[in-house]
Amino acid sequence: RQLHEPWARASDGERRERRFGASLALALARPLRAMLPAAIRPVRAEDVAQSMIDAALMDSAPGTIESAAMHGAAARADAGATI
């Protein structure tokens, strides 16, 4: 299935309807993501899921997991490390 907008990625969510405003916002915001502090940068779903798994396997509850700590969690798990 192809996305309507050529600049859209599957991680931005596929939609059947065309949403011009959302597509324009994504196209303008995507280059700025790298400049955002890690605490407010969007976190990949895979990293959120891995962070939840890591927290569930801890001996004690970690409390709140900050967004900055979630970035790269899936890659760390693949490498054998956790948060």
Side-chain angles (χ1 to χ4, degrees), residues 3-16:
L3 301 174
H4 294 288
E5 297 83 11
W7 55 84
R9 287 187 262 177
S11 62
D12 293 326
E14 296 181 27
R15 300 192 179 271
R16 291 177 190 246

Side-chain angles (χ1 to χ4, degrees), residues 28-51:
L28 295 174
R30 190 171 289 119
L32 301 176
R33 286 181 184 175
M35 292 186 272
L36 291 173
I40 61 172
R41 190 177 314 142
V43 181
R44 293 175 49 232
E46 294 86 358
D47 291 332
V48 173
Q50 187 60 52
S51 296

Side-chain angles (χ1 to χ4, degrees), residues 24-77:
L24 180 63
L26 281 171
L28 295 174
R30 190 171 289 119
L32 301 176
R33 286 181 184 175
M35 292 186 272
L36 291 173
I40 61 172
R41 190 177 314 142
V43 181
R44 293 175 49 232
E46 294 86 358
D47 291 332
V48 173
Q50 187 60 52
S51 296
M52 292 171 66
I53 292 168
D54 293 343
L57 296 176
M58 289 182 169
D59 291 334
S60 61
T64 302
I65 304 171
E66 300 293 331
S67 293
M70 288 189 221
H71 291 287
R76 287 191 300 273

